[in-house]
Amino acid sequence: MLMLLALTTRAQRTVVSGLVTDATNGEPLAGASVTMDSLQVVTNDDGYFTLKSDALGQTLTVTHVGYRSQRINVATAGRAGTPAEAQQVRVRLQPASIALQEVLVTTENARDLVRSAIRLIPRNYSTKAELHQCFYREMVMKRQNYISVAEGVIDMYKTDYRRGAGRDRVAISKGRRLLSPKRSDTVSVKVMGGPVTALQLDVVKNTEFLLNNEELDLYDMKMEQPTTIGDRAQYVVSISPRVVMPYALYYGRLYIDQQTRAFTRAELSLDMSDRAKATNMMLVKKPATLRFKPKELSCVVDYRLCDDGMTRISYVRTTFRFNCDWRRRLFATSFAAFCEMAVTSTADGEARPIQGRASFDQRDAFFDKVDYFLDPAFWQDYNIIEPTESLDKAVGKLLKKHGVEKNGKMRK
């Protein structure tokens, strides 16, 4: 009877999938946040998402920067004829216009606003340790082709936001990898990145990175056109280097909730004007005979206002672009590396720290810590970010090169 009950419970698990587009032009919206209760995923580059839940009749909330949020009853919005446990929805978000109170526009100072948001961090962010389950993916492209894909489920432990990020940790729960078998596709270059990136780029928690008095004094700040995130009005502050330092600084934008003064989003791009400084920020190691030419290091960090009034980190994405020039070759080869991590759920109850060997070190390579890309039922009930169409095709091609069909069976 217990076995039958377990099977029945599993059968009732609901998979809600859909497409999020701009209501005015039909273009897919990448990076839209899709939440259901405490669960969350992010739309992929093609606007698609899949969210797995234990019950029907729940409200799906979709938000995106600069658009009105939309709330959908899954039980009534599903496509006709679709099984109850596999709902499909189409979400069309309307662009949002916002009118700020005139007194706020004329009196707010960008630097004072940022400092005010920093002072309110203990009020706006969690004051207890929490354990988050996350989806993580990293990809490497050579020119226009994917040559490496690794993804998995990550546990992320964060102490309360009144402390620094020194005790925050990540651990791999499960993962898989796929690498091009062509020897010429091998990249013997290691750049900054990996699962620990979500800890390092949490600018609200890791204030040593940007939001401290010494670093802020290095930047000019300017109030930009306000916008909305999830129907909440946002201040937008742009930053740019104002002095020359021995290391590269950033250009970017900080989004601050008008009501709570909480940081809700950070968009940062490393200054590439000095190649040597940019290389020092991006490169970990390379062969002596290879010349590394940095092109781009950018990141997006999103935070989400939760039902308990606390704002929590929800999504991190980094982009690295660089050229590799072997000295005996005539032309350089362009490469791009992408890392993304989305918080999909937060554990209830007291969170225990991640300790010992379970903790992922910033010197570790995620690719070396996980298994080969074979199990067709790898994800089971885990929430993930759907691959884009081009990435999905690339995975299929790489599997075929390895002599494996996409269902996990070996080809004859």
Side-chain angles (χ1 to χ4, degrees), residues 271-285:
D271 181 6
M272 292 287 165
S273 60
D274 188 310
R275 182 180 296 176
K277 293 179 183 178
T279 298
N280 288 336
M281 294 289 286
M282 295 176 61
L283 184 65
V284 176
K285 64 179 181 180

Side-chain angles (χ1 to χ4, degrees), residues 240-257:
S240 58
R242 61 180 291 265
V243 297
V244 176
M245 297 296 291
Y247 54 91
L249 299 177
Y250 290 86
Y251 292 89
R253 292 188 175 194
L254 302 174
Y255 295 73
I256 301 173
D257 188 287

Side-chain angles (χ1 to χ4, degrees), residues 68-86:
R68 298 175 186 170
S69 64
Q70 190 171 145
R71 293 170 178 82
I72 301 169
N73 187 294
V74 176
T76 60
R79 184 179 299 176
T82 303
E85 67 275 8

Side-chain angles (χ1 to χ4, degrees), residues 318-365:
T318 58
T319 300
F320 301 83
R321 298 186 189 277
F322 53 93
N323 286 355
C324 289
D325 179 11
W326 284 265
R327 293 177 183 174
R328 293 185 178 181
R329 296 185 182 179
L330 183 60
F331 300 105
T333 303
S334 62
F335 291 91
F338 309 92
C339 301
E340 61 181 341
M341 177 184 285
V343 176
T344 56
S345 63
T346 300
D348 296 327
E350 183 178 354
R352 294 184 178 181
I354 297 172
Q355 297 177 337
R357 291 186 176 182
S359 177
F360 190 93
D361 191 89
Q362 63 179 356
R363 295 167 296 183
D364 295 333

Side-chain angles (χ1 to χ4, degrees), residues 127-280:
T127 56
K128 63 178 182 179
E130 295 180 328
L131 184 66
H132 307 284
Q133 189 175 86
C134 311
F135 167 78
Y136 174 80
R137 178 186 287 141
E138 61 184 40
M139 303 160 287
V140 178
M141 296 183 70
K142 178 182 178 182
R143 299 187 180 94
Q144 300 300 315
N145 299 314
Y146 288 96
I147 61 173
S148 170
V149 178
E151 57 187 4
V153 178
I154 300 293
D155 292 325
M156 179 170 63
Y157 173 81
K158 299 189 75 65
T159 58
D160 73 71
Y161 273 70
R162 294 170 297 184
R163 299 175 177 232
R167 295 181 58 199
D168 293 358
R169 296 288 186 272
V170 293
I172 301 173
S173 178
K174 65 184 303 187
R176 62 182 184 177
R177 60 186 171 89
L178 186 60
L179 176 68
S180 170
K182 293 177 60 177
R183 183 177 180 86
S184 60
D185 285 342
T186 302
V187 185
S188 52
V189 171
K190 184 178 181 181
V191 295
M192 298 296 293
V196 294
T197 302
L199 305 180
Q200 297 167 340
L201 295 181
D202 183 355
V203 293
V204 177
K205 185 79 182 294
N206 185 20
T207 54
E208 294 181 2
F209 173 56
L210 179 64
L211 300 180
N212 62 78
N213 290 331
E214 292 76 14
E215 286 294 316
L216 289 177
D217 286 342
L218 307 179
Y219 291 91
D220 287 322
M221 299 185 186
K222 179 182 176 183
M223 296 294 296
E224 301 290 349
Q225 181 71 27
T227 188
T228 61
I229 299 178
D231 295 337
R232 296 184 66 87
Q234 307 287 321
Y235 293 112
V236 182
V237 177
S238 63
I239 64 172
S240 58
R242 61 180 291 265
V243 297
V244 176
M245 297 296 291
Y247 54 91
L249 299 177
Y250 290 86
Y251 292 89
R253 292 188 175 194
L254 302 174
Y255 295 73
I256 301 173
D257 188 287
Q258 281 190 29
Q259 294 183 15
T260 64
R261 298 293 176 95
F263 292 99
T264 54
R265 181 179 173 92
E267 302 169 350
L268 300 173
S269 180
L270 189 68
D271 181 6
M272 292 287 165
S273 60
D274 188 310
R275 182 180 296 176
K277 293 179 183 178
T279 298
N280 288 336

Side-chain angles (χ1 to χ4, degrees), residues 15 29 36 68 82 95 105 109 111 118 126 141 144 172 226 242 312 315 320 338:
V15 178
L29 294 177
M36 181 183 288
R68 298 175 186 170
T82 303
V105 176
N109 176 276
R111 192 173 299 275
I118 294 173
S126 180
M141 296 183 70
Q144 300 300 315
I172 301 173
R242 61 180 291 265
R312 293 178 173 87
Y315 180 69
F320 301 83
F338 309 92

